Amino acid sequence: MATVQLDGTQIKDWPSFHRICRVAFGFPDFYGNNMDAWVDCMSYLRDDDGMTRFKLQENEILTITVSNAAALRTAAPDILDDLQFCIEAINDRYTDYGEKAALTLKLA
């Protein structure tokens, strides 16, 4: 099972969120550092196009664990809310194409 861990204590604002995600997910150099770009990259997890370091199998799910989620909720609640919203939207996109949802979010 594919997993990524984001440390909520290291995410203080949008620039730090995108910097950490760029490394954790292996986003390309042209990553736009915004949630539209995040959604675009995460929408190709089962394709071999280099948008992330992951290439999920047909029914595989990428688990994103946010450790110290309470710290992130305190420092930047909008980031956590947007992350949850975008994951749901991405999963909807996958199911619209007849595929299994690709992401799950765990808050620790």
Side-chain angles (χ1 to χ4, degrees):
M1 178 168 65
T3 62
V4 167
Q5 184 164 336
L6 306 176
D7 183 349
T9 63
Q10 299 300 309
I11 301 170
K12 305 294 185 194
D13 52 22
W14 285 110
S16 62
F17 171 79
H18 290 292
R19 184 175 54 254
I20 288 167
C21 285
R22 179 186 291 248
V23 173
F25 294 104
F27 291 152
D29 290 340
F30 58 84
Y31 174 67
N33 295 306
N34 59 60
M35 288 310 283
D36 288 336
W38 196 93
V39 168
D40 288 345
C41 288
M42 299 300 281
S43 295
Y44 293 93
L45 290 167
R46 295 195 177 110
D47 298 327
D48 192 19
D49 61 2
M51 295 298 279
T52 72
R53 66 180 173 95
F54 296 96
K55 168 77 168 69
L56 300 182
Q57 299 302 310
E58 183 177 338
N59 291 313
E60 189 175 10
I61 296 173
L62 173 61
T63 299
I64 303 169
T65 301
V66 178
S67 61
N68 303 302
L72 176 55
R73 174 77 61 201
T74 299
D78 56 322
I79 293 174
L80 196 51
D81 291 342
D82 281 1
L83 180 61
Q84 290 172 313
F85 176 81
C86 288
I87 287 172
E88 289 175 16
I90 291 165
N91 282 336
D92 286 345
R93 182 179 287 182
Y94 278 103
T95 57
D96 286 347
Y97 287 110
E99 297 181 42
K100 183 176 181 176
L103 298 167
T104 187
L105 179 64
K106 291 186 178 180
L107 304 179

